[in-house]
Amino acid sequence: MSLFIIMTIYLIPQTEKTLETNLEFEYITNLANSSIYLLDENNLLVKTKILLDNKDTTKDIEDIITNLTIGSGNIFPDNLYGVIPKNTKLNDILIEEDVVTLDFSNEFLNVDTNKSSALIESIVYSVTELDNINKVIITVESEELKTYPNSDKSISFPIDRSIGINNKYTYNSLNNLVKVVIYYQELINNDTYYVPVTKYLNNDKEKIDIIVEELTTSYIYEDNLSSILSENVKLTDKELSDDLLILDFNDALLDNGELKEEVVYLLSYSVFANYDINTVSFRVDGKELKNVTKSDLV
């Protein structure tokens, strides 16, 4: 009986943690059911798993905003930070169909100028991870923002994920201009995280071809980001049918005959960010290896 009591006391603190940071642990236990986007030391927003144990969308949004707010007693992963200014209060939440209006206190405007875009992107991308929320309106003391906080960059609500995240502009012409979201890896204290980068570039290829091309190049614009796809990986065939995208690669996709989990996540996150589908099927030389749905990645 004494041993049972000791073990019970020992385990209680572990059940109170709301933000899990070890992705490997999360994938095994399947505790996390949503994501938020936190800033790393390079001012890039990083996808981070979060446990939302609520049946109420309003409460889920409250929890998300709390975890994005500096100084709210959050236990963030090492070297990842919230971006909503300290002491900001969420005054009100109004949900109408798939649009949520978030009203903040004046402290919301205290964001550093160089983090203004990241502030909006973090909120929009985090909240729209919820299945029934697709658009966001942001007000401060009931007044709708006209520009990004501490910026002269205009903003028009409602906004959705089309605003991009970690935007990178590399185009030199308006001809063949395409916007593609590509996920890269970042290693923080030996834990693997995924970083979405919205690239604006001149390219007339299909988005999946651009994704594979970008992930297999030896050049990545940020030193802290990486891709584990070999330069020898080739997308030999593709087929988009209704809710399914079939991708057929050469055998360079495999590592010692195995399809690595990190490769699956890297490609799947990128595909779902660009295609309105539910399933991506991975094949090598025509042989089906793995089917991944959006829910598999949550």
Side-chain angles (χ1 to χ4, degrees), residues 117 121 153 163-164 166-172 177 179 197-201:
S117 293
E121 293 167 15
K153 180 181 176 182
I163 64 170
N166 297 323
N167 292 300
K168 179 70 175 179
Y169 302 92
T170 59
Y171 64 90
N172 49 35
L177 182 62
K179 179 177 70 175
V197 176
T198 303
K199 291 193 172 185
Y200 300 79
L201 65 166

Side-chain angles (χ1 to χ4, degrees), residues 1-20:
M1 179 61 71
S2 298
L3 180 60
F4 174 77
I5 294 172
I6 292 172
M7 288 297 294
T8 301
I9 294 173
Y10 175 78
L11 290 173
I12 285 175
Q14 298 185 24
T15 64
E16 295 176 351
K17 297 174 65 177
T18 58
L19 182 64
E20 300 293 343

Side-chain angles (χ1 to χ4, degrees), residues 18 67 95 118 126 138 149 165 246-247 256 260 297:
T18 58
N67 277 285
I95 300 174
S126 298
I138 296 176
I165 185 170
I246 299 173
L247 303 178
N256 294 323
K260 295 184 67 173
L297 300 180

Side-chain angles (χ1 to χ4, degrees), residues 125-153:
Y125 268 72
S126 298
V127 171
T128 57
E129 284 280 342
L130 300 175
D131 290 337
N132 50 345
I133 301 296
N134 294 316
K135 298 178 182 179
V136 179
I137 297 173
I138 296 176
T139 61
V140 175
E141 300 295 353
S142 301
E143 292 292 329
E144 190 172 296
L145 293 178
K146 302 300 181 183
T147 64
Y148 282 74
N150 280 338
S151 170
D152 58 2
K153 180 181 176 182

